[in-house]
Amino acid sequence: MRNQRSLKNLKCLFWVFMTLSLLSCRKDKDDDKLNLYEGTWEMKSSVNGLNGVRTDYSSGNGNIIILSGSSYEIFSNHQPVTKGTFQIVQETSILTNAMKNRIIYDNSSDVRTFIEKKDNNLTLFIDAYDGPSTIYVKK
């Protein structure tokens, strides 16, 4: 009887440790997603979703997005526009039908904006067939 109780206690401890391990791994993955995009980014170009026209911006234009931890700050022409918090979640894009990272500002899910980083470029795009996109370069 004592052995059965000891075995039962060991099983309980095993499941407690497994649960804690899984929860701690998820936090690391969430932090990794946020850290991937961290930095100061300056607008390099934008694409109009309706007509596909691309507009290029010169360096020093002052159109900046700063991502730090789970906080963001947006500047237009060197002037602060807005700031708050953001989160990154994985969702399926209707444009590509693939899992991508979606950025959600201030817990608002009104506009489906996805975020991608390749080399020194950060791309934000609205997940709609006529949605615009913006490319930033890391400063």
Side-chain angles (χ1 to χ4, degrees):
M1 182 168 237
R2 186 172 221 192
N3 286 340
Q4 287 178 342
R5 209 177 289 165
S6 294
L7 185 59
K8 191 175 184 178
N9 287 342
L10 281 175
K11 284 182 182 179
C12 285
L13 281 174
F14 171 78
W15 287 112
V16 167
F17 285 121
M18 287 301 292
T19 302
L20 290 173
S21 296
L22 290 173
L23 290 174
S24 66
C25 289
R26 177 168 179 137
K27 175 101 171 90
D28 291 343
K29 288 179 184 176
D30 290 345
D31 288 347
D32 288 346
K33 280 191 257 181
L34 293 176
N35 291 337
L36 176 65
Y37 306 113
E38 189 156 314
T40 300
W41 303 89
E42 182 175 50
M43 188 182 294
K44 177 180 174 180
S45 61
S46 63
V47 177
N48 183 319
L50 293 174
N51 59 21
V53 172
R54 179 183 169 128
T55 304
D56 293 318
Y57 300 91
S58 61
S59 180
N61 62 61
N63 297 314
I64 306 266
I65 185 168
I66 300 171
L67 302 174
S68 178
S70 62
S71 298
Y72 75 92
E73 196 167 359
I74 297 175
F75 294 81
S76 178
N77 297 318
H78 304 283
Q79 299 300 312
V81 175
T82 188
K83 64 181 176 177
T85 60
F86 73 95
Q87 59 181 321
I88 303 292
V89 297
Q90 284 219 315
E91 289 187 12
T92 302
S93 165
I94 62 170
L95 293 174
T96 64
N97 200 29
M99 289 295 284
K100 298 208 174 270
N101 286 335
R102 179 177 173 204
I103 185 168
I104 300 174
Y105 299 100
D106 303 313
N107 293 318
S108 173
S109 58
D110 293 343
V111 178
R112 290 175 45 89
T113 304
F114 284 81
I115 185 168
E116 295 177 342
K117 181 180 179 275
K118 186 175 179 184
D119 300 323
N120 251 7
N121 291 320
L122 183 77
T123 303
L124 297 172
F125 65 92
I126 305 293
D127 194 38
Y129 292 109
D130 59 354
S133 63
T134 308
I135 300 170
Y136 294 84
V137 65
K138 194 160 194 172
K139 288 189 69 155

